[in-house]
Amino acid sequence: MVGDYVGSKHCFILSNGTVTLYAALIAVGVGPGDEVIVPDYTMIATANAVLLAGAKPVFVDVSADSLCLDLNLAEAAVTSKTKAIMLVSVNGRAPDIDSAIELCKKNNLHLIEDAAQSLGARWQGKHLGTFGEIGSFSFSAPKIITTGQGGALVTDDDELAEKIRQIRDFGRRQSGVDYHLSVGYNFKFTDLQAVIGIEQMKKLEWRVKRKKEMFVLYHELLTDVEEVTFLPTTDEVPPWFIDVLVPDPARLREYMKQHEIGSRPFYPVIHSQPAYGWPGAYPNAEFAAQHGLWLPSSSFLTDEQIGKVCGMIREFFKH
Ligand SMILES: Cc1ncc(COP(=O)(O)O)c(C=O)c1O
């Protein structure tokens, strides 16, 4: 279902959108001694999967508009050890994919798309996750559709598909037959989750449409509030979360909380998280992390509820 929806030849459903990234990396041959370019602004799983594969994530700043990898800086970060690029489409937004493909071809790099946040999002008519050699999706609880936990890998490459199939199922030649062609793991999904997934897929198109409408409505209702900045987007993108930049997100968050409205700050930059503690300066990623706030984004919100949230934000900024 997911493969047909995104338009990919092969699709594998795995246990979550972190092991999908690990499986994608080892399928293309990333391992110890290799470097992989990762944006400094993304959900931390993107970087952790690189470490899990035994390689080194090399952080690169993002572009201020899309919050996706800055491709010029990515090119400058390529060394003789660089093996792959993790191209994260943040909240369904994409960088210039043609340039990313060109960059990878020129430097002989594998292109893995972390499209965990991009189910339903397209770039120039083609679904995100289908441009790279392998694309990865997540079905964790807050995603546009969910199976509680879950992830998908898509590829058009027959050899990579066979590798992924084996990595997911103990390296078996065939499901249920204990003859192992390679070292693989148990990254499978359960039938119980699949039942939920099939039902969720039926709701996807409606949610894609609703997320787009919600973004337009939020934008309309807050457009004259100069303290609130919306990142550019296109009508091919159903924003997973309604994301804005504000001068002091912690104060707005507190105000909204007092009025029983939830919100969530953007991800902190990865390099300086306690888990990494690496040096480096990534000004655009840091600016987004310091100023970003996700507003209420459930596709079940009514226009009236969105109006109330925006009214509260306008009041906070005294509009
Ligand atoms: C960009 C990105 N990559 C990877 C993941 C990890 O997915 P999962 O939570 O399914 O392991 C997420 C989850 O939010 C994500 O947003």
Side-chain angles (χ1 to χ4, degrees):
M1 276 182 114
V2 176
D4 288 343
Y5 180 81
V6 303
S8 198
K9 186 170 174 192
H10 304 281
C11 176
F12 298 90
I13 307 294
L14 280 71
S15 340
N16 59 62
T18 302
V19 294
T20 48
L21 296 174
Y22 168 64
L25 286 161
I26 61 171
V28 299
V30 167
D34 294 332
E35 292 179 355
V36 177
I37 290 175
V38 175
D40 194 36
Y41 179 79
T42 171
M43 201 261 168
I44 202 159
T46 319
N48 291 356
V50 175
L51 285 178
L52 190 60
K56 182 181 171 209
V58 172
F59 295 116
V60 165
D61 204 1
V62 295
S63 105
D65 277 354
S66 65
L67 304 186
C68 298
L69 202 60
D70 179 317
L71 297 172
N72 291 323
L73 295 177
E75 177 139 40
V78 173
T79 71
S80 57
K81 292 182 180 168
T82 313
K83 195 86 180 255
I85 290 189
M86 296 294 251
L87 199 71
V88 184
S89 37
V90 178
N91 209 8
R93 293 189 186 91
D96 177 357
I97 303 252
D98 288 340
S99 302
I101 293 171
E102 191 53 41
L103 166 66
C104 288
K105 274 197 188 137
K106 195 169 126 196
N107 295 282
N108 202 18
L109 306 177
H110 297 288
L111 181 61
I112 296 175
E113 273 188 83
D114 183 352
Q117 306 178 358
S118 303
L119 192 62
R122 291 177 172 76
W123 188 77
Q124 298 191 353
K126 190 166 147 63
H127 202 291
L128 292 176
T130 63
F131 293 93
E133 284 160 86
I134 307 182
S136 173
F137 296 91
S138 163
F139 308 121
S140 68
K143 298 296 185 302
I144 191 161
I145 61 161
T146 181
T147 51
Q149 297 288 342
L153 284 180
V154 297
T155 183
D156 285 341
D157 183 305
D158 296 342
E159 265 181 49
L160 285 176
E162 178 53 24
K163 282 189 184 157
I164 293 165
R165 194 193 63 72
Q166 290 181 26
I167 292 165
R168 182 179 69 156
D169 186 21
F170 304 111
R172 279 179 174 138
R173 183 173 59 192
Q174 191 184 326
S175 172
V177 176
D178 289 316
Y179 184 81
H180 304 271
L181 298 166
S182 58
V183 176
Y185 309 95
N186 180 0
F187 292 157
K188 286 172 292 193
F189 196 62
T190 65
D191 289 350
L192 281 177
Q193 289 169 297
V195 171
I196 298 169
I198 289 166
E199 289 306 308
Q200 287 274 293
M201 277 302 284
K202 294 178 189 165
K203 299 174 179 160
L204 179 57
E205 265 318 286
W206 179 83
R207 289 191 190 169
V208 165
K209 187 171 145 277
R210 181 64 190 145
K211 292 269 185 189
K212 289 178 185 172
E213 282 169 8
M214 285 169 60
F215 189 85
V216 170
L217 185 59
Y218 266 110
H219 193 267
E220 260 172 36
L221 295 175
L222 294 172
T223 194
D224 61 331
V225 182
E226 65 195 31
E227 293 88 346
V228 178
T229 305
F230 284 83
L231 298 166
T233 193
T234 73
D235 60 8
E236 292 189 295
V237 176
W240 167 48
F241 282 163
I242 305 295
D243 49 357
V244 293
L245 300 170
V246 293
D248 186 347
R251 273 193 53 224
L252 176 57
R253 237 188 125 211
E254 189 48 41
Y255 182 79
M256 289 171 70
K257 195 173 157 196
Q258 281 164 14
H259 293 83
E260 298 184 321
I261 294 174
S263 62
R264 190 168 155 179
F266 278 18
Y267 305 121
V269 288
I270 298 181
H271 76 277
S272 59
Q273 290 254 19
Y276 283 79
W278 293 3
Y282 307 88
N284 288 340
E286 281 159 22
F287 186 87
Q290 282 159 17
H291 294 280
L293 193 66
W294 288 312
L295 300 178
S297 305
S298 160
S299 40
F300 298 115
L301 284 178
T302 62
D303 288 1
E304 197 191 345
Q305 286 170 320
I306 293 172
K308 274 192 189 153
V309 173
C310 292
M312 195 131 302
I313 295 172
R314 296 179 68 84
E315 204 177 285
F316 176 78
F317 289 115
K318 310 251 180 294
H319 271 260

